[in-house]
PDB file of all heavy atoms in Angstrom:
ATOM      1  N   THR A 380    -108.978-128.260 123.691  1.00 89.00           N
ATOM      2  CA  THR A 380    -108.302-127.014 124.104  1.00 89.00           C
ATOM      3  C   THR A 380    -108.912-126.492 125.410  1.00 89.00           C
ATOM      4  O   THR A 380    -110.047-126.878 125.751  1.00 89.00           O
ATOM      5  CB  THR A 380    -108.409-125.915 123.016  1.00 89.00           C
ATOM      6  OG1 THR A 380    -107.722-124.767 123.443  1.00 89.00           O
ATOM      7  CG2 THR A 380    -109.854-125.562 122.737  1.00 89.00           C
ATOM      8  N   HIS A 381    -108.142-125.688 126.107  1.00 87.00           N
ATOM      9  CA  HIS A 381    -108.778-124.965 127.200  1.00 87.00           C
ATOM     10  C   HIS A 381    -108.776-123.459 126.892  1.00 87.00           C
ATOM     11  O   HIS A 381    -109.069-122.647 127.742  1.00 87.00           O
ATOM     12  CB  HIS A 381    -108.106-125.245 128.557  1.00 87.00           C
ATOM     13  CG  HIS A 381    -106.676-124.917 128.655  1.00 87.00           C
ATOM     14  ND1 HIS A 381    -105.650-125.786 128.326  1.00 87.00           N
ATOM     15  CD2 HIS A 381    -106.053-123.777 129.011  1.00 87.00           C
ATOM     16  CE1 HIS A 381    -104.478-125.200 128.500  1.00 87.00           C
ATOM     17  NE2 HIS A 381    -104.699-123.960 128.896  1.00 87.00           N
ATOM     18  N   TYR A 382    -108.418-123.135 125.626  1.00 87.00           N
ATOM     19  CA  TYR A 382    -108.524-121.753 125.178  1.00 87.00           C
ATOM     20  C   TYR A 382    -109.856-121.544 124.474  1.00 87.00           C
ATOM     21  O   TYR A 382    -110.078-122.068 123.380  1.00 87.00           O
ATOM     22  CB  TYR A 382    -107.379-121.399 124.216  1.00 87.00           C
ATOM     23  CG  TYR A 382    -105.998-121.514 124.850  1.00 87.00           C
ATOM     24  CD1 TYR A 382    -105.022-122.306 124.272  1.00 87.00           C
ATOM     25  CD2 TYR A 382    -105.690-120.764 125.981  1.00 87.00           C
ATOM     26  CE1 TYR A 382    -103.743-122.389 124.841  1.00 87.00           C
ATOM     27  CE2 TYR A 382    -104.431-120.836 126.550  1.00 87.00           C
ATOM     28  CZ  TYR A 382    -103.472-121.644 125.974  1.00 87.00           C
ATOM     29  OH  TYR A 382    -102.212-121.719 126.555  1.00 87.00           O
ATOM     30  N   MET A 383    -110.722-120.755 125.105  1.00 86.00           N
ATOM     31  CA  MET A 383    -112.023-120.490 124.548  1.00 86.00           C
ATOM     32  C   MET A 383    -111.990-119.887 123.132  1.00 86.00           C
ATOM     33  O   MET A 383    -112.730-120.273 122.274  1.00 86.00           O
ATOM     34  CB  MET A 383    -112.744-119.534 125.520  1.00 86.00           C
ATOM     35  CG  MET A 383    -114.061-119.025 125.051  1.00 86.00           C
ATOM     36  SD  MET A 383    -114.336-117.373 125.650  1.00 86.00           S
ATOM     37  CE  MET A 383    -112.965-116.441 125.100  1.00 86.00           C
ATOM     38  N   GLU A 384    -111.017-118.965 122.951  1.00 87.00           N
ATOM     39  CA  GLU A 384    -110.950-118.259 121.642  1.00 87.00           C
ATOM     40  C   GLU A 384    -110.673-119.261 120.498  1.00 87.00           C
ATOM     41  O   GLU A 384    -111.227-119.126 119.400  1.00 87.00           O
ATOM     42  CB  GLU A 384    -109.796-117.233 121.616  1.00 87.00           C
ATOM     43  CG  GLU A 384    -109.772-116.305 122.842  1.00 87.00           C
ATOM     44  CD  GLU A 384    -109.093-116.933 124.027  1.00 87.00           C
ATOM     45  OE1 GLU A 384    -108.152-117.725 123.830  1.00 87.00           O
ATOM     46  OE2 GLU A 384    -109.528-116.648 125.156  1.00 87.00           O
ATOM     47  N   GLU A 385    -109.836-120.265 120.785  1.00 89.00           N
ATOM     48  CA  GLU A 385    -109.542-121.259 119.744  1.00 89.00           C
ATOM     49  C   GLU A 385    -110.792-122.058 119.395  1.00 89.00           C
ATOM     50  O   GLU A 385    -111.081-122.264 118.219  1.00 89.00           O
ATOM     51  CB  GLU A 385    -108.456-122.210 120.228  1.00 89.00           C
ATOM     52  CG  GLU A 385    -107.080-121.580 120.321  1.00 89.00           C
ATOM     53  CD  GLU A 385    -105.992-122.561 120.739  1.00 89.00           C
ATOM     54  OE1 GLU A 385    -106.304-123.781 120.871  1.00 89.00           O
ATOM     55  OE2 GLU A 385    -104.853-122.127 120.925  1.00 89.00           O
ATOM     56  N   ALA A 386    -111.497-122.466 120.421  1.00 89.00           N
ATOM     57  CA  ALA A 386    -112.720-123.273 120.166  1.00 89.00           C
ATOM     58  C   ALA A 386    -113.717-122.429 119.382  1.00 89.00           C
ATOM     59  O   ALA A 386    -114.351-122.923 118.432  1.00 89.00           O
ATOM     60  CB  ALA A 386    -113.319-123.706 121.493  1.00 89.00           C
ATOM     61  N   GLN A 387    -113.847-121.148 119.764  1.00 88.00           N
ATOM     62  CA  GLN A 387    -114.813-120.268 119.073  1.00 88.00           C
ATOM     63  C   GLN A 387    -114.432-120.080 117.603  1.00 88.00           C
ATOM     64  O   GLN A 387    -115.278-120.108 116.728  1.00 88.00           O
ATOM     65  CB  GLN A 387    -114.853-118.913 119.771  1.00 88.00           C
ATOM     66  CG  GLN A 387    -115.887-118.834 120.844  1.00 88.00           C
ATOM     67  CD  GLN A 387    -115.968-117.468 121.480  1.00 88.00           C
ATOM     68  OE1 GLN A 387    -114.916-116.815 121.697  1.00 88.00           O
ATOM     69  NE2 GLN A 387    -117.178-117.008 121.761  1.00 88.00           N
ATOM     70  N   GLU A 388    -113.138-119.864 117.399  1.00 89.00           N
ATOM     71  CA  GLU A 388    -112.689-119.534 116.037  1.00 89.00           C
ATOM     72  C   GLU A 388    -112.783-120.747 115.087  1.00 89.00           C
ATOM     73  O   GLU A 388    -113.168-120.615 113.932  1.00 89.00           O
ATOM     74  CB  GLU A 388    -111.235-119.048 116.092  1.00 89.00           C
ATOM     75  CG  GLU A 388    -110.666-118.740 114.715  1.00 89.00           C
ATOM     76  CD  GLU A 388    -109.200-118.362 114.732  1.00 89.00           C
ATOM     77  OE1 GLU A 388    -108.724-117.899 115.794  1.00 89.00           O
ATOM     78  OE2 GLU A 388    -108.541-118.545 113.711  1.00 89.00           O
ATOM     79  N   LEU A 389    -112.414-121.933 115.605  1.00 91.00           N
ATOM     80  CA  LEU A 389    -112.234-123.063 114.737  1.00 91.00           C
ATOM     81  C   LEU A 389    -113.484-123.928 114.554  1.00 91.00           C
ATOM     82  O   LEU A 389    -113.709-124.488 113.452  1.00 91.00           O
ATOM     83  CB  LEU A 389    -111.138-123.985 115.294  1.00 91.00           C
ATOM     84  CG  LEU A 389    -109.718-123.471 115.358  1.00 91.00           C
ATOM     85  CD1 LEU A 389    -108.854-124.484 116.110  1.00 91.00           C
ATOM     86  CD2 LEU A 389    -109.177-123.243 113.960  1.00 91.00           C
ATOM     87  N   SER A 390    -114.318-124.023 115.585  1.00 92.00           N
ATOM     88  CA  SER A 390    -115.200-125.190 115.673  1.00 92.00           C
ATOM     89  C   SER A 390    -116.515-125.050 114.946  1.00 92.00           C
ATOM     90  O   SER A 390    -117.135-124.004 114.979  1.00 92.00           O
ATOM     91  CB  SER A 390    -115.495-125.487 117.117  1.00 92.00           C
ATOM     92  OG  SER A 390    -114.283-125.468 117.884  1.00 92.00           O
ATOM     93  N   ASP A 391    -116.944-126.153 114.358  1.00 93.00           N
ATOM     94  CA  ASP A 391    -118.289-126.274 113.866  1.00 93.00           C
ATOM     95  C   ASP A 391    -119.207-126.628 115.044  1.00 93.00           C
ATOM     96  O   ASP A 391    -120.309-126.114 115.167  1.00 93.00           O
ATOM     97  CB  ASP A 391    -118.378-127.347 112.801  1.00 93.00           C
ATOM     98  CG  ASP A 391    -117.571-126.972 111.579  1.00 93.00           C
ATOM     99  OD1 ASP A 391    -117.808-125.915 111.002  1.00 93.00           O
ATOM    100  OD2 ASP A 391    -116.622-127.726 111.233  1.00 93.00           O
ATOM    101  N   HIS A 392    -118.723-127.530 115.875  1.00 94.00           N
ATOM    102  CA  HIS A 392    -119.434-127.902 117.101  1.00 94.00           C
ATOM    103  C   HIS A 392    -118.456-127.946 118.273  1.00 94.00           C
ATOM    104  O   HIS A 392    -117.304-128.230 118.081  1.00 94.00           O
ATOM    105  CB  HIS A 392    -120.149-129.266 116.938  1.00 94.00           C
ATOM    106  CG  HIS A 392    -121.369-129.211 116.097  1.00 94.00           C
ATOM    107  ND1 HIS A 392    -121.332-129.418 114.733  1.00 94.00           N
ATOM    108  CD2 HIS A 392    -122.683-128.923 116.417  1.00 94.00           C
ATOM    109  CE1 HIS A 392    -122.552-129.287 114.218  1.00 94.00           C
ATOM    110  NE2 HIS A 392    -123.397-129.008 115.228  1.00 94.00           N
ATOM    111  N   ILE A 393    -119.035-127.699 119.457  1.00 92.00           N
ATOM    112  CA  ILE A 393    -118.206-127.666 120.644  1.00 92.00           C
ATOM    113  C   ILE A 393    -118.900-128.451 121.754  1.00 92.00           C
ATOM    114  O   ILE A 393    -120.118-128.336 121.919  1.00 92.00           O
ATOM    115  CB  ILE A 393    -118.000-126.207 121.155  1.00 92.00           C
ATOM    116  CG1 ILE A 393    -117.310-125.379 120.063  1.00 92.00           C
ATOM    117  CG2 ILE A 393    -117.174-126.189 122.446  1.00 92.00           C
ATOM    118  CD1 ILE A 393    -117.468-123.851 120.292  1.00 92.00           C
ATOM    119  N   ALA A 394    -118.076-129.276 122.441  1.00 93.00           N
ATOM    120  CA  ALA A 394    -118.610-129.876 123.703  1.00 93.00           C
ATOM    121  C   ALA A 394    -117.792-129.293 124.824  1.00 93.00           C
ATOM    122  O   ALA A 394    -116.556-129.361 124.807  1.00 93.00           O
ATOM    123  CB  ALA A 394    -118.455-131.397 123.636  1.00 93.00           C
ATOM    124  N   ILE A 395    -118.511-128.752 125.787  1.00 90.00           N
ATOM    125  CA  ILE A 395    -117.777-128.203 126.962  1.00 90.00           C
ATOM    126  C   ILE A 395    -117.743-129.260 128.048  1.00 90.00           C
ATOM    127  O   ILE A 395    -118.791-129.834 128.381  1.00 90.00           O
ATOM    128  CB  ILE A 395    -118.484-126.917 127.494  1.00 90.00           C
ATOM    129  CG1 ILE A 395    -118.487-125.842 126.392  1.00 90.00           C
ATOM    130  CG2 ILE A 395    -117.764-126.410 128.706  1.00 90.00           C
ATOM    131  CD1 ILE A 395    -119.207-124.547 126.805  1.00 90.00           C
ATOM    132  N   MET A 396    -116.538-129.550 128.504  1.00 91.00           N
ATOM    133  CA  MET A 396    -116.389-130.591 129.539  1.00 91.00           C
ATOM    134  C   MET A 396    -115.932-130.006 130.846  1.00 91.00           C
ATOM    135  O   MET A 396    -115.175-129.050 130.901  1.00 91.00           O
ATOM    136  CB  MET A 396    -115.297-131.629 129.089  1.00 91.00           C
ATOM    137  CG  MET A 396    -115.754-132.557 127.973  1.00 91.00           C
ATOM    138  SD  MET A 396    -114.572-133.876 127.693  1.00 91.00           S
ATOM    139  CE  MET A 396    -114.884-134.944 129.096  1.00 91.00           C
ATOM    140  N   ASP A 397    -116.416-130.624 131.906  1.00 90.00           N
ATOM    141  CA  ASP A 397    -115.930-130.286 133.244  1.00 90.00           C
ATOM    142  C   ASP A 397    -116.140-131.507 134.168  1.00 90.00           C
ATOM    143  O   ASP A 397    -117.161-132.148 134.109  1.00 90.00           O
ATOM    144  CB  ASP A 397    -116.658-129.062 133.790  1.00 90.00           C
ATOM    145  CG  ASP A 397    -116.049-128.547 135.098  1.00 90.00           C
ATOM    146  OD1 ASP A 397    -114.796-128.519 135.166  1.00 90.00           O
ATOM    147  OD2 ASP A 397    -116.791-128.156 135.991  1.00 90.00           O
ATOM    148  N   ILE A 398    -115.140-131.788 134.937  1.00 90.00           N
ATOM    149  CA  ILE A 398    -115.154-132.911 135.900  1.00 90.00           C
ATOM    150  C   ILE A 398    -115.649-134.206 135.224  1.00 90.00           C
ATOM    151  O   ILE A 398    -116.503-134.899 135.748  1.00 90.00           O
ATOM    152  CB  ILE A 398    -115.948-132.617 137.174  1.00 90.00           C
ATOM    153  CG1 ILE A 398    -115.772-131.131 137.607  1.00 90.00           C
ATOM    154  CG2 ILE A 398    -115.542-133.495 138.298  1.00 90.00           C
ATOM    155  CD1 ILE A 398    -116.677-130.733 138.715  1.00 90.00           C
TER     156      ILE A 398
END
Side-chain angles (χ1 to χ4, degrees):
Chain A
T380 182
H381 61 270
Y382 297 125
M383 173 212 56
E384 313 81 33
E385 288 183 5
Q387 269 183 320
E388 178 185 336
L389 295 173
S390 313
D391 297 302
H392 284 92
I393 300 163
I395 299 178
M396 287 189 75
D397 189 40
I398 323 172

